[in-house]
Amino acid sequence: MDTIINPEILGEISREDLDSTPSIWKYRAFLPVNEKHKIVSAGEGGTPLRKLSSFQGNVWVKDETKNPTGTFKDRGASLAITALSALGVKDLVLSSEGNAGCSFALYSHIADIACQVFLPRQANPVKVELSQKLGAKVTIVDGTIADAGRRTEALAKSEGSYNASTFVTPYRHDGKGTMALEICEQLGWKVPDYVVYPVGGGVGLVGMWKMFSILEKIGWIKKRPRFVAVQPNGCAPVVKAYNSKKVDVDEWKNPQTMASGLRIPKPVAGKWILRCLRESDGIALSVTDAEIRKSMGQAVKDEGLLLEPSSAATIAALHHLYGEKLIDRSEEVVVIATGSGLKTLEQF
Ligand SMILES: *Cc1c(COP(=O)(O)O)cnc(C)c1O
């Protein structure tokens, strides 16, 4: 991926200059904001990186459940709302499977921006309710996230609302990209061999790849990690396209999985996701809902980690990675625990 970096800013900072307060905002020089921007923050980022004791091997978990609304979506929403308030945006609209709606509802509420969310009928009821309680106007749409996306586009056009959907707005992937910066810093600027990531729209994957690439370019790290992209086998369009060497992702017909954050039949950024995977010499694999369910129980029992299904998919993937000897136990692995199970208790 061609990375556009601002050498003037980055040339002036060194690793030692980073603010000591853990937050995405200590990496401000890497983000599309400047000193004039008033930061809209709820304490996102700066999440723990801890060793997973139950896996023999060298596995760390990046615990994104600790974010304000329980998922890493808060990173993207904090950055987007910061930039949008500086631009004078008064109202925004987005489509979501649930978690992005909660994050944008919270940050819009803080910044006095009106927030409207279109969610598919299948969306998790707690996520719907939380978005509403945080002040968003919520519309449930018959059909999939793609149908919610069409309603979002239509409204953005007719009302002039800002469309904050995945890869329509540029801010969300930079916000999620801060996970790459934190992981490197938390490992003492050593880079893990693998980052295991549950791919839905691919925002985090593309965002982290951009940041790893910038870090390598400016010499803060020596190499970039390999990605492991994980999807449920009832909706695995990226896994299918990558493993059959396609350059774009075909729509997955009749997506069915308990992992609602990964129920994205045709990610808008399919080509970018595949390119990041190829550039990183990555691995793509799918897991069953039964494996996801088992991993949820295991993560809570062995590690005290309460995960939602989309997030537990990565734990399920670890069994494949080691069992099928796709990776070696000596290699350093970081698993992203993207979301808390507190919103999805009915699936536990
Ligand atoms: C959104 C989401 C994902 C997928 O993230 P993308 O960056 O869109 O690929 C994974 N897990 C959880 C819990 C999510 O909310």
Side-chain angles (χ1 to χ4, degrees), residues 228-247:
V228 179
V230 183
Q231 296 198 299
N233 72 350
C235 183
V238 170
V239 174
K240 186 170 174 213
Y242 183 66
N243 290 336
S244 49
K245 307 214 175 337
K246 291 261 174 67
V247 291

Side-chain angles (χ1 to χ4, degrees), residues 71-73 99-100 127 166 176 197-205 261-262 308 310-311 338-339:
T71 77
F72 68 154
K73 294 282 194 307
N99 286 330
K127 295 176 186 174
T166 290
K176 280 186 177 175
Y197 187 79
V199 177
V203 183
L205 192 102
L262 310 181
E308 76 165 80
S310 299
S311 185
T338 49

